[in-house]
Amino acid sequence: LAPSFTGFLASQQAKSLTYDLTSDLMLARNEALKRNVNVAVTRAGSGWEQGWTVATVATAEQLSRRNAAAQAVSITGSPVPTSITFGPNGRVSAPIGSVRLTIGGGTSTRCLELDPSGRVRTHIGACS
């Protein structure tokens, strides 16, 4: 592939991963509220770019699964959690505090922010 096309594909992958992760975080929160149980979004492998699963904590019932990114994408943060758990009240029970992940690929950088109440927001650019 030509270098410019490779960068374009990586940018599109970063955008897609941001939407997918946002969608699955909202799914996990909604299922935690609906089922009155803990639901976790857990990364597969060594990083979120390797994919993730959404599952109930007690019974490990899988609700959603995402595969690894096809393009070179990086997901960074300080720190980057291995999983995010929503409690029966819809709030984030682990990790404690806000989660900020910068998703980058090609020339695209997006920030995904999850506050302790379970609200997820995204914006273009790196997390500050």
Side-chain angles (χ1 to χ4, degrees):
L1 293 174
S4 61
F5 194 62
T6 302
F8 171 75
L9 289 175
S11 293
Q12 291 301 103
Q13 183 76 66
K15 184 177 178 180
S16 177
L17 274 179
T18 303
Y19 292 139
D20 290 347
L21 187 52
T22 299
S23 172
D24 280 342
L25 287 169
M26 290 190 302
L27 170 71
R29 183 175 191 262
N30 289 338
E31 289 295 321
L33 285 165
K34 182 173 86 176
R35 296 169 183 246
N36 199 33
V37 297
N38 290 324
V39 176
V41 182
T42 307
R43 72 181 190 197
S46 60
W48 290 94
E49 53 278 331
Q50 300 297 312
W52 59 84
T53 59
V54 179
T56 60
V57 173
T59 63
E61 178 186 349
Q62 194 173 96
L63 306 172
S64 180
R65 180 174 175 267
R66 300 290 175 168
N67 294 323
Q71 302 297 319
V73 175
S74 64
I75 300 179
T76 57
S78 180
V80 178
T82 57
S83 69
I84 299 167
T85 304
F86 293 87
N89 60 0
R91 297 180 61 81
V92 177
S93 60
I96 302 299
S98 296
V99 175
R100 289 184 179 84
L101 300 175
T102 298
I103 303 169
T107 58
S108 177
T109 305
R110 296 181 178 268
C111 177
L112 183 146
E113 296 178 294
L114 178 68
D115 67 26
S117 72
R119 181 174 162 220
V120 62
R121 295 181 307 151
T122 63
H123 61 83
I124 296 172
C127 297
S128 54

